[in-house]
Amino acid sequence: MRLENKKALVTGASRGIGRAVAELFAVRGAEVWGLGTGEPPDLAGRIAAAGGKLHWISLDLSVLETVEETIKKALEESEGFDILVNNAGITRDNLAFRMDLEDFRSVLDINLTAAFLAARTLGRWMIKKRAGSIINMSSVVGLHGNGGQANYAASKAGLIGLTKSLAREWAPRNVRVNAVAPGFIDTGMTESLPAAVREKMLEQIPLKRLGKAQDVAETVLFLASDSSAYITGQVFAVDGGMFI
Ligand code: NAP
């Protein structure tokens, strides 16, 4: 699958899954704009080695008032995006009775509301162009729920509703919107979990290993590429068979 002559915006591209997506896209021929709160990661060198280029947008997605304006600027600079990957996400886990409102809101803001704003900003352009692919990074937790993650599960379930609604609205203009629901992927987000929790998770994975960021990136690549031209409004679980 190639992404030649395509321009892609990937949020949360500094590490983990987003970083793997940005790198894979560039290797497959896309011009990539990564987004994160800090400085660009050092993958710029690896992308250059593959003949690609990484542009960087420094933006804190929790500051919702700035999201549309910043992405509009990137849109002008790039002269249009063909692909958006709404991947940035956070967790603020706690049992529901102990979860304070700020931790509920901040997860919803970054994981869901910022994704809506980014999709709407780029969606306008894609609709005019009659082409585009948007991929929202949900989670198996958004499909099945998880104790201690009411905020995170609500944001990820919300992304699925957003995906299906935008897919229905924009399909007549050939803009596709899909979601990916990873299971337990070995990244910074999961490395702090206690060994006992990781062991218990492994027992529930028929493929008997944690997922790699690359496993998720390959699915995102498929959904971004023309190989999935007739697919919209779907949720793809990448979970080693956790929920067969
Ligand atoms: P990660 O390693 O923690 O990386 C999170 C990314 O999101 C980073 O690039 C981070 O950028 C960015 N981000 C966080 N807050 C941001 C903010 N306020 N503004 C802009 N960017 C922000 O996470 P990951 O495991 O790769 O997860 C990526 C996505 O997959 C998330 O949406 C996550 O919910 C989802 N997911 C992960 C798993 C898993 O097992 N790992 C499972 C299911 C779903 P900075 O470096 O700038 O902070």
Side-chain angles (χ1 to χ4, degrees), residues 12 14-15 17 37 60-61 87 137-138 152 156 183 185 187 190:
S14 62
R15 49 201 159 87
I17 293 169
T37 57
D60 182 347
L61 291 168
N87 163 80
M137 197 59 67
S138 180
Y152 183 75
K156 295 300 183 181
I185 311 299
T187 67
T190 47

Side-chain angles (χ1 to χ4, degrees), residues 60-72:
D60 182 347
L61 291 168
S62 70
V63 190
L64 294 175
E65 307 72 44
T66 61
V67 173
E68 284 178 294
E69 189 194 320
T70 307
I71 291 182
K72 257 186 214 153

Side-chain angles (χ1 to χ4, degrees), residues 65-113:
E65 307 72 44
T66 61
V67 173
E68 284 178 294
E69 189 194 320
T70 307
I71 291 182
K72 257 186 214 153
K73 265 190 211 148
L75 190 56
E76 279 160 25
E77 183 195 312
S78 66
E79 295 174 350
F81 288 107
D82 308 280
I83 301 157
L84 166 66
V85 184
N86 272 317
N87 163 80
I90 61 163
T91 51
R92 293 281 181 275
D93 298 352
N94 217 334
L95 294 171
F97 286 131
R98 294 189 194 149
M99 189 177 285
D100 59 43
L101 184 57
E102 183 44 39
D103 280 346
F104 193 89
R105 275 201 185 130
S106 59
V107 170
L108 266 291
D109 282 356
I110 293 169
N111 295 8
L112 179 59
T113 312

Side-chain angles (χ1 to χ4, degrees), residues 7-211:
K7 292 177 188 172
L9 172 57
V10 181
T11 72
S14 62
R15 49 201 159 87
I17 293 169
R19 180 184 172 123
V21 169
E23 209 161 50
L24 184 60
F25 276 14
V27 168
R28 296 303 174 92
E31 191 173 356
V32 184
W33 274 251
L35 183 151
T37 57
E39 294 298 308
D42 64 1
L43 54 75
R46 272 194 272 172
I47 286 182
K53 194 174 176 192
L54 177 74
H55 308 265
W56 193 250
I57 304 163
S58 187
L59 173 67
D60 182 347
L61 291 168
S62 70
V63 190
L64 294 175
E65 307 72 44
T66 61
V67 173
E68 284 178 294
E69 189 194 320
T70 307
I71 291 182
K72 257 186 214 153
K73 265 190 211 148
L75 190 56
E76 279 160 25
E77 183 195 312
S78 66
E79 295 174 350
F81 288 107
D82 308 280
I83 301 157
L84 166 66
V85 184
N86 272 317
N87 163 80
I90 61 163
T91 51
R92 293 281 181 275
D93 298 352
N94 217 334
L95 294 171
F97 286 131
R98 294 189 194 149
M99 189 177 285
D100 59 43
L101 184 57
E102 183 44 39
D103 280 346
F104 193 89
R105 275 201 185 130
S106 59
V107 170
L108 266 291
D109 282 356
I110 293 169
N111 295 8
L112 179 59
T113 312
F116 165 65
L117 294 172
R120 195 170 64 170
T121 309
L122 296 197
R124 273 205 186 93
W125 158 268
M126 290 173 173
I127 279 168
K128 275 189 205 141
K129 223 181 126 196
R130 300 285 195 271
S133 175
I134 296 174
I135 298 107
N136 293 319
M137 197 59 67
S138 180
S139 165
V140 290
V141 168
L143 288 163
H144 305 283
N146 197 23
Q149 291 198 305
N151 50 358
Y152 183 75
S155 72
K156 295 300 183 181
L159 272 179
I160 291 172
L162 177 71
T163 298
K164 289 176 183 278
S165 303
L166 296 183
R168 283 183 187 276
E169 284 189 26
W170 297 346
R173 304 289 152 87
N174 197 33
V175 176
R176 300 183 296 110
V177 189
N178 290 289
V180 174
F184 192 23
I185 311 299
D186 203 2
T187 67
M189 190 172 266
T190 47
E191 74 187 359
S192 58
L193 290 173
V197 176
R198 289 170 75 94
E199 277 306 310
K200 216 173 156 201
M201 290 277 193
L202 258 181
E203 282 169 20
Q204 295 165 24
I205 304 173
L207 283 177
K208 289 296 163 215
R209 67 169 176 87
L210 302 190

